[in-house]
Structure formats: structure tokens, C-alpha cells
Amino acid sequence: MGFLKSCGNSDETPPLPSFQAFCPVLRTYPPSLLELAQQVGMCDYNLRRGFKEIFNTTVFGYLRDRRMEKAQQLLLDGQLKVATVARTVGYDSPTSFNAAFKHKFGASPKAYQMSIRK
């Protein structure tokens, strides 16, 4: 009941837990917003609102950006194939990974990796 009580629609956004509270949850699998909110002890409304206010993006936009940054680093290292990088950062579908990477960096993962080797 206390969890639902904290979901008021007041103008005041409760403080978000430190980012360290999010890290273990975001690393293992992409949870639903409600699961993530429960993990950090907030209601989903306050989590969405507070996260957007602090990070200027959505929870899942932030997660997607961190995954793409990790993928970029792995591609820079040049030790892994694109399909392995996709799986490492949590994509089951190489096509979805390629589309997300191209949207973020303006080039396909393979093209990006090849441009680094030159």
C-alpha cells in the first residue's frame, strides 16, 4: 500500500535513488518500467517523471544509449564480430541491433568497424 501511496500526482518529484540502484537491474535484462520502479522503490509515474527531469531522456532511451555506447566500445576494440557484440549488449536480433546502431551513430556496425581498421 505504501508503494501506491507514493504515486501521487503532486508537482513535487520525489528524489530518484542513486544511479547505482539502477545499474544491477539494467545490466541483467531490460525490465518493464513497473519492475524497474519496484526494484528501486518508486512508483512508475514518479520514476518516469524524475528520470526525465534528471537525465533529459526516458529510462529506456537512457538504457538504449548505454547499450549503444558499450557496443561502440566493443567494435572499437575490434576483437568481436558484430553478431557477438549485438548479443553482448542484449540484442537477440542482429537486424534490430543494426537498426539501433545506425540510428545512433549514422553507420551500420560493420561499416563503423571497417572505418576504424583503415
Short mmCIF file of all heavy atoms in Angstrom, two decimals, residues 30-55:
data_model
loop_
_atom_site.label_atom_id
_atom_site.label_comp_id
_atom_site.label_asym_id
_atom_site.label_seq_id
_atom_site.Cartn_x
_atom_site.Cartn_y
_atom_site.Cartn_z
N PRO A 30 16.36 -6.15 -19.91
CA PRO A 30 15.53 -4.95 -19.92
C PRO A 30 14.21 -5.23 -19.20
O PRO A 30 13.35 -5.90 -19.74
CB PRO A 30 15.29 -4.66 -21.40
CG PRO A 30 15.97 -5.74 -22.16
CD PRO A 30 16.53 -6.72 -21.20
N PRO A 31 14.05 -4.75 -17.98
CA PRO A 31 12.82 -4.98 -17.23
C PRO A 31 11.71 -4.06 -17.74
O PRO A 31 11.96 -3.11 -18.46
CB PRO A 31 13.20 -4.57 -15.80
CG PRO A 31 14.24 -3.51 -16.00
CD PRO A 31 15.01 -3.93 -17.24
N SER A 32 10.50 -4.35 -17.33
CA SER A 32 9.41 -3.41 -17.61
C SER A 32 9.60 -2.20 -16.70
O SER A 32 10.34 -2.26 -15.70
CB SER A 32 8.05 -4.06 -17.33
OG SER A 32 7.85 -4.19 -15.93
N LEU A 33 8.95 -1.11 -17.04
CA LEU A 33 9.07 0.09 -16.22
C LEU A 33 8.56 -0.17 -14.81
O LEU A 33 9.16 0.28 -13.83
CB LEU A 33 8.31 1.24 -16.88
CG LEU A 33 8.57 2.61 -16.29
CD1 LEU A 33 10.04 2.98 -16.40
CD2 LEU A 33 7.72 3.64 -16.97
N LEU A 34 7.48 -0.93 -14.70
CA LEU A 34 6.93 -1.24 -13.39
C LEU A 34 7.91 -2.08 -12.57
O LEU A 34 8.11 -1.82 -11.38
CB LEU A 34 5.58 -1.97 -13.53
CG LEU A 34 4.84 -2.26 -12.23
CD1 LEU A 34 4.57 -0.98 -11.45
CD2 LEU A 34 3.53 -2.96 -12.52
N GLU A 35 8.54 -3.08 -13.19
CA GLU A 35 9.54 -3.89 -12.49
C GLU A 35 10.71 -3.02 -12.02
O GLU A 35 11.17 -3.16 -10.89
CB GLU A 35 10.08 -5.00 -13.40
CG GLU A 35 9.11 -6.10 -13.68
CD GLU A 35 9.63 -7.05 -14.75
OE1 GLU A 35 10.25 -6.60 -15.73
OE2 GLU A 35 9.40 -8.26 -14.59
N LEU A 36 11.17 -2.15 -12.88
CA LEU A 36 12.28 -1.28 -12.52
C LEU A 36 11.90 -0.36 -11.37
O LEU A 36 12.65 -0.19 -10.41
CB LEU A 36 12.73 -0.46 -13.73
CG LEU A 36 13.90 0.49 -13.51
CD1 LEU A 36 15.14 -0.27 -13.04
CD2 LEU A 36 14.21 1.24 -14.80
N ALA A 37 10.71 0.20 -11.45
CA ALA A 37 10.24 1.09 -10.38
C ALA A 37 10.17 0.34 -9.04
O ALA A 37 10.60 0.85 -8.01
CB ALA A 37 8.87 1.65 -10.74
N GLN A 38 9.67 -0.88 -9.07
CA GLN A 38 9.59 -1.67 -7.84
C GLN A 38 10.99 -1.99 -7.31
O GLN A 38 11.21 -1.97 -6.10
CB GLN A 38 8.79 -2.94 -8.09
CG GLN A 38 7.32 -2.66 -8.27
CD GLN A 38 6.52 -3.88 -8.71
OE1 GLN A 38 7.07 -4.87 -9.19
NE2 GLN A 38 5.21 -3.80 -8.57
N GLN A 39 11.93 -2.27 -8.21
CA GLN A 39 13.30 -2.58 -7.78
C GLN A 39 13.95 -1.42 -7.04
O GLN A 39 14.74 -1.62 -6.13
CB GLN A 39 14.17 -2.94 -9.00
CG GLN A 39 13.88 -4.28 -9.60
CD GLN A 39 14.43 -5.42 -8.78
OE1 GLN A 39 15.44 -5.29 -8.11
NE2 GLN A 39 13.75 -6.54 -8.84
N VAL A 40 13.64 -0.19 -7.45
CA VAL A 40 14.26 0.97 -6.82
C VAL A 40 13.34 1.65 -5.81
O VAL A 40 13.68 2.69 -5.26
CB VAL A 40 14.77 1.99 -7.86
CG1 VAL A 40 15.84 1.38 -8.73
CG2 VAL A 40 13.64 2.55 -8.70
N GLY A 41 12.16 1.05 -5.56
CA GLY A 41 11.28 1.53 -4.50
C GLY A 41 10.48 2.77 -4.85
O GLY A 41 10.23 3.61 -3.98
N MET A 42 10.09 2.92 -6.10
CA MET A 42 9.29 4.06 -6.52
C MET A 42 8.11 3.55 -7.35
O MET A 42 8.14 2.43 -7.84
CB MET A 42 10.10 5.01 -7.41
CG MET A 42 11.31 5.60 -6.77
SD MET A 42 12.14 6.74 -7.90
CE MET A 42 11.11 8.18 -7.66
N CYS A 43 7.13 4.39 -7.56
CA CYS A 43 6.08 4.03 -8.50
C CYS A 43 6.55 4.42 -9.90
O CYS A 43 7.45 5.25 -10.06
CB CYS A 43 4.76 4.70 -8.15
SG CYS A 43 4.70 6.46 -8.50
N ASP A 44 5.98 3.81 -10.90
CA ASP A 44 6.44 4.05 -12.27
C ASP A 44 6.24 5.51 -12.71
O ASP A 44 7.07 6.06 -13.42
CB ASP A 44 5.79 3.08 -13.26
CG ASP A 44 4.28 3.15 -13.29
OD1 ASP A 44 3.66 3.50 -12.28
OD2 ASP A 44 3.72 2.85 -14.36
N TYR A 45 5.17 6.15 -12.26
CA TYR A 45 4.91 7.54 -12.62
C TYR A 45 6.06 8.44 -12.15
O TYR A 45 6.60 9.23 -12.91
CB TYR A 45 3.58 8.01 -12.03
CG TYR A 45 3.31 9.48 -12.24
CD1 TYR A 45 2.82 9.93 -13.46
CD2 TYR A 45 3.58 10.40 -11.24
CE1 TYR A 45 2.59 11.28 -13.66
CE2 TYR A 45 3.36 11.75 -11.45
CZ TYR A 45 2.87 12.18 -12.66
OH TYR A 45 2.66 13.53 -12.87
N ASN A 46 6.42 8.31 -10.87
CA ASN A 46 7.48 9.15 -10.32
C ASN A 46 8.84 8.81 -10.93
O ASN A 46 9.68 9.69 -11.12
CB ASN A 46 7.54 9.04 -8.80
CG ASN A 46 6.39 9.76 -8.14
OD1 ASN A 46 5.82 10.70 -8.70
ND2 ASN A 46 6.01 9.31 -6.96
N LEU A 47 9.06 7.54 -11.23
CA LEU A 47 10.31 7.14 -11.86
C LEU A 47 10.44 7.79 -13.23
O LEU A 47 11.46 8.40 -13.55
CB LEU A 47 10.39 5.62 -11.99
CG LEU A 47 11.62 5.08 -12.73
CD1 LEU A 47 12.91 5.46 -12.00
CD2 LEU A 47 11.53 3.58 -12.87
N ARG A 48 9.40 7.68 -14.05
CA ARG A 48 9.42 8.30 -15.39
C ARG A 48 9.66 9.80 -15.30
O ARG A 48 10.50 10.35 -16.01
CB ARG A 48 8.10 8.06 -16.13
CG ARG A 48 7.97 6.72 -16.76
CD ARG A 48 6.78 6.66 -17.73
NE ARG A 48 5.58 7.35 -17.29
CZ ARG A 48 4.59 6.78 -16.62
NH1 ARG A 48 4.65 5.52 -16.29
NH2 ARG A 48 3.53 7.47 -16.26
N ARG A 49 8.91 10.43 -14.45
CA ARG A 49 8.98 11.88 -14.32
C ARG A 49 10.34 12.34 -13.80
O ARG A 49 10.96 13.24 -14.36
CB ARG A 49 7.87 12.34 -13.38
CG ARG A 49 7.60 13.79 -13.46
CD ARG A 49 6.29 14.09 -12.80
NE ARG A 49 6.49 15.31 -12.03
CZ ARG A 49 5.80 15.66 -11.00
NH1 ARG A 49 4.84 14.88 -10.56
NH2 ARG A 49 6.03 16.78 -10.38
N GLY A 50 10.81 11.70 -12.74
CA GLY A 50 12.09 12.09 -12.15
C GLY A 50 13.26 11.78 -13.07
O GLY A 50 14.21 12.55 -13.19
N PHE A 51 13.21 10.65 -13.73
CA PHE A 51 14.30 10.25 -14.63
C PHE A 51 14.41 11.24 -15.78
O PHE A 51 15.50 11.69 -16.12
CB PHE A 51 14.05 8.84 -15.16
CG PHE A 51 15.30 8.15 -15.62
CD1 PHE A 51 16.01 7.33 -14.77
CD2 PHE A 51 15.77 8.34 -16.91
CE1 PHE A 51 17.17 6.71 -15.18
CE2 PHE A 51 16.93 7.72 -17.34
CZ PHE A 51 17.64 6.90 -16.47
N LYS A 52 13.29 11.60 -16.37
CA LYS A 52 13.27 12.55 -17.49
C LYS A 52 13.81 13.90 -17.03
O LYS A 52 14.57 14.55 -17.75
CB LYS A 52 11.85 12.67 -18.03
CG LYS A 52 11.70 13.62 -19.17
CD LYS A 52 12.04 12.95 -20.46
CE LYS A 52 11.68 13.86 -21.62
NZ LYS A 52 12.01 13.30 -22.89
N GLU A 53 13.44 14.31 -15.83
CA GLU A 53 13.88 15.59 -15.29
C GLU A 53 15.39 15.62 -15.07
O GLU A 53 16.05 16.60 -15.39
CB GLU A 53 13.16 15.82 -13.96
CG GLU A 53 13.29 17.21 -13.40
CD GLU A 53 12.43 17.35 -12.16
OE1 GLU A 53 11.19 17.24 -12.28
OE2 GLU A 53 13.01 17.53 -11.07
N ILE A 54 15.94 14.54 -14.57
CA ILE A 54 17.37 14.49 -14.25
C ILE A 54 18.23 14.18 -15.47
O ILE A 54 19.25 14.82 -15.71
CB ILE A 54 17.63 13.46 -13.13
CG1 ILE A 54 17.02 13.97 -11.83
CG2 ILE A 54 19.12 13.20 -12.96
CD1 ILE A 54 16.99 12.95 -10.72
N PHE A 55 17.83 13.19 -16.26
CA PHE A 55 18.67 12.71 -17.36
C PHE A 55 18.25 13.24 -18.73
O PHE A 55 18.89 12.96 -19.73
CB PHE A 55 18.68 11.17 -17.39
CG PHE A 55 19.35 10.57 -16.19
CD1 PHE A 55 18.60 10.00 -15.18
CD2 PHE A 55 20.73 10.57 -16.07
CE1 PHE A 55 19.20 9.44 -14.07
CE2 PHE A 55 21.34 10.01 -14.97
CZ PHE A 55 20.58 9.45 -13.96
#
